[in-house]
Amino acid sequence: MLLRHTTAKEIDRKALTINPAKTCQPVGAMYAALGLHGCLPHSHGSQGCCSYHRSALTRHFKEPVMASTSSFSEGSSVFGGSANLVSAIETIFSVYDPEVIAVHTTCLSETIGDDLTQIVSKANEDGKVPAGKKVIYCNTPSYVGTHVTGYANQVSSFVKFFSTATPKKRNVVNLVAGWMEPSDMREIKRIAKEMEARTIMFPDMSDVLDTPLTGHYDMYPKGGTTQADMIATGDSKFSIGIGPYTTEDACIKLENKCKVKFETVEIPIGLKATDKFIMSLSRHANVPVPDSLTEERGRLIDMIADNNKNFYDKRVALYGDPDTLIPLVEFLLTLDMKPVYIVTGTPGKHFDEAMTAMLKEKVPEAKFMSGERADMFRLHQWIKQEGVDMLIGNSYGKYIARDENIPFVRLGFPVMDRPGNNFFPYVGYTGATNLLIKILDAFLDHKDRTCPEEKVELVM
């Protein structure tokens, strides 16, 4: 169909990305900002940029994502956007009354060299920021990095502008949340509560982008990390960064600023990654692992054992964010599946090293790649060379799945063509069970749909 022109022959590309497995920094910064209570993200650039970033998030979460913009004109593009931003800050506080404005840059404001430190300082000096309110900022040029980078930069800005140390440390563990669904963050908080661990999660999108329909619109829902909690992160005794790509910078900044030591773990997708997260939280919060979680783990293992025949030796192609792909590949290997093709548009050594370590013995034929040329066109070419039994990734993979007639599991950002993706967790033992069911359903639905009539079975 739409991609039938793709051939199996790879041509070396040095300056061309086709169907990138990523989006731009400001999308990540905008998403992270929504995890701060009472915060309004602000896009320092043109109206078009802000509209695209808002629509990308709105289509995924099926919730209205609010953000403001500096609305650059031709004059702003030539002479700078300082006046636009100062005016915007005054208008936003008077009309929309947020607790915090989180400013992030775009290609345009970065290219002309706007200095956010100087502009925001001037807004404060001129009395444009009301008492008790806050303007924070981070640099997110779209022409470098990805949405993962933008998310990491925004989370680091939370530490920069809020975290404060006092002489007395508190028996609290910071959970620095990487790019996950609101349901995932809710599940991680449930696990921590089950363990009776005292924690502060930041950012926290639960009760922000998954709010109930009440008939009353709240521009700033009840969820999100409060300013008081963000300030208190500087007195916590330890931090656990959940997803190295999105949280390590913030953890390092917090250690340098407030002497809070840290450890990064993979997002707890699957059995082993969840084990590692729970053991890390147990160790640093000094709490035992309750029987209830051990029982959840046992139910997951039972389901894996019961359905091994459906997973064994199945070849899988994956794409998405490195913080999602690393634990996901580990989980697929636990299921005796073969992740053979993996691409992420976000560059970084950690991804390459993790893939090498996991795949070199179990799936030595696997191909993986990170960076700008690690795009979905290349992934499709690999699939053309030798087919796969399943594709896992965001909605943009539906064209490849249709052309190759393979089962497709939607996971990651953005998922725009199926509802409810942000309501079911994929982290923890419960989330792993949800993911397992999703993979099984895709396999078995495809089997029912494509097998000869005489092979259709009621019990599979």
Side-chain angles (χ1 to χ4, degrees):
M1 300 297 289
L2 291 174
L3 300 179
R4 292 269 165 88
H5 59 274
T6 304
T7 64
K9 183 181 178 181
E10 287 185 74
I11 300 172
D12 186 40
R13 293 177 278 132
K14 295 182 179 178
L16 176 65
T17 300
I18 306 171
N19 291 344
K22 61 173 184 176
T23 187
C24 58
Q25 280 206 54
V27 175
M30 188 177 288
Y31 181 44
L34 294 169
L36 192 63
H37 179 71
C39 180
L40 184 68
H42 180 87
S43 177
H44 187 50
S46 67
Q47 288 182 344
C49 289
C50 185
S51 297
Y52 164 67
H53 305 145
R54 285 180 60 197
S55 67
L57 293 167
T58 296
R59 286 170 177 171
H60 175 84
F61 292 106
K62 306 295 187 287
E63 294 284 342
V65 171
M66 296 293 105
S68 54
T69 173
S70 295
S71 298
F72 276 29
S73 62
E74 291 86 346
S76 313
S77 304
V78 175
F79 300 109
S82 175
N84 290 51
L85 182 52
V86 171
S87 176
I89 289 170
E90 183 177 26
T91 302
I92 291 165
F93 279 125
S94 62
V95 176
Y96 301 110
D97 193 31
E99 296 295 319
V100 183
I101 298 174
V103 182
H104 59 264
T105 56
T106 64
C107 293
L108 186 53
S109 55
E110 286 286 338
T111 300
I112 64 178
D114 273 355
D115 184 347
L116 290 185
T117 303
Q118 182 270 327
I119 298 171
V120 173
S121 295
K122 177 174 173 54
N124 279 293
E125 291 168 5
D126 292 350
K128 307 295 184 184
V129 182
K133 307 288 186 176
K134 194 95 169 179
V135 178
I136 66 174
Y137 52 87
C138 65
N139 294 91
T140 54
S142 300
Y143 44 77
V144 294
T146 68
H147 59 288
V148 172
T149 319
Y151 185 100
N153 289 342
Q154 186 68 274
V155 176
S156 293
S157 77
F158 294 172
V159 175
K160 175 182 177 181
F161 287 98
F162 290 107
S163 299
T164 306
T166 65
K168 188 176 181 180
K169 291 291 182 188
R170 299 162 64 234
N171 187 29
V172 174
V173 174
N174 297 325
L175 299 177
V176 190
W179 188 303
M180 294 178 281
E181 298 293 323
S183 53
D184 293 326
M185 296 177 181
R186 189 187 302 280
E187 176 65 9
I188 286 174
K189 289 192 296 182
R190 184 193 71 83
I191 291 171
K193 185 177 181 180
E194 198 82 5
M195 297 173 67
E196 298 184 354
R198 296 178 62 197
T199 61
I200 296 174
M201 175 177 280
F202 73 93
D204 181 4
M205 288 74 169
S206 60
D207 288 320
V208 176
L209 288 169
D210 59 352
T211 55
L213 183 63
T214 63
H216 173 72
Y217 174 68
D218 289 312
M219 189 165 182
Y220 309 108
K222 67 177 183 178
T225 310
T226 63
Q227 288 191 55
D229 277 348
M230 262 317 310
I231 292 168
T233 58
D235 282 335
S236 297
K237 69 174 184 179
F238 201 82
S239 296
I240 299 176
I242 307 173
Y245 276 79
T246 45
T247 66
E248 188 171 40
D249 288 348
C251 288
I252 291 172
K253 188 178 287 292
L254 187 55
E255 182 177 37
N256 292 338
K257 183 181 180 183
C258 301
K259 310 303 180 191
V260 181
K261 294 189 178 299
F262 73 92
E263 175 185 25
T264 58
V265 297
E266 302 299 342
I267 293 175
I269 297 173
L271 180 67
K272 292 182 179 179
T274 301
D275 287 348
K276 292 169 188 172
F277 166 71
I278 287 176
M279 294 312 295
S280 176
L281 182 56
S282 173
R283 184 169 61 254
H284 297 299
N286 194 28
V287 293
V289 179
D291 291 343
S292 58
L293 292 181
T294 304
E295 289 167 3
E296 286 180 22
R297 186 180 190 275
R299 286 191 288 271
L300 170 61
I301 293 173
D302 180 60
M303 189 170 187
I304 292 172
D306 289 346
N307 293 281
N308 182 259
K309 65 178 183 179
N310 295 304
F311 301 126
Y312 182 76
D313 225 27
K314 292 292 195 297
R315 293 165 54 85
V316 188
L318 311 91
Y319 58 96
D321 300 343
D323 281 341
T324 301
L325 291 175
I326 292 170
L328 181 57
V329 165
E330 184 180 60
F331 187 40
L332 296 180
L333 292 171
T334 301
L335 301 177
D336 288 328
M337 297 173 76
K338 287 188 172 182
V340 287
Y341 308 133
I342 310 108
V343 298
T344 177
T346 302
K349 288 183 180 179
H350 178 57
F351 173 83
D352 298 330
E353 291 170 352
M355 290 299 146
T356 300
M358 288 190 289
L359 298 170
K360 65 180 179 182
E361 291 184 6
K362 292 190 175 182
V363 194
E365 70 273 25
K367 296 181 180 180
F368 55 87
M369 189 176 178
S370 64
E372 291 185 358
R373 250 59 71 196
D375 51 32
M376 295 179 65
F377 180 72
R378 188 181 299 276
L379 183 70
H380 197 183
Q381 288 180 312
W382 289 347
I383 294 171
K384 288 280 188 185
Q385 292 166 13
E386 188 174 354
V388 296
D389 300 300
M390 174 168 281
L391 180 66
I392 301 178
N394 63 36
S395 289
Y396 288 103
K398 67 188 296 180
Y399 304 107
I400 297 175
R402 181 183 174 93
D403 284 354
E404 302 302 324
N405 191 26
I406 51 179
F408 178 38
V409 171
R410 289 162 174 82
L411 184 71
F413 176 84
V415 175
M416 302 174 288
D417 61 332
R418 294 293 187 276
N421 191 66
N422 57 320
F423 282 88
F424 298 95
Y426 294 118
V427 302
Y429 302 124
T430 299
T433 304
N434 290 339
L435 182 55
L436 211 60
I437 292 170
K438 200 169 185 178
I439 292 172
L440 273 171
D441 282 349
F443 272 140
L444 298 178
D445 284 348
H446 186 265
K447 185 176 181 179
D448 267 343
R449 193 170 59 249
T450 58
C451 71
E453 279 192 21
E454 65 272 15
K455 294 292 185 180
V456 177
E457 298 179 1
L458 180 62
V459 180
M460 302 182 74

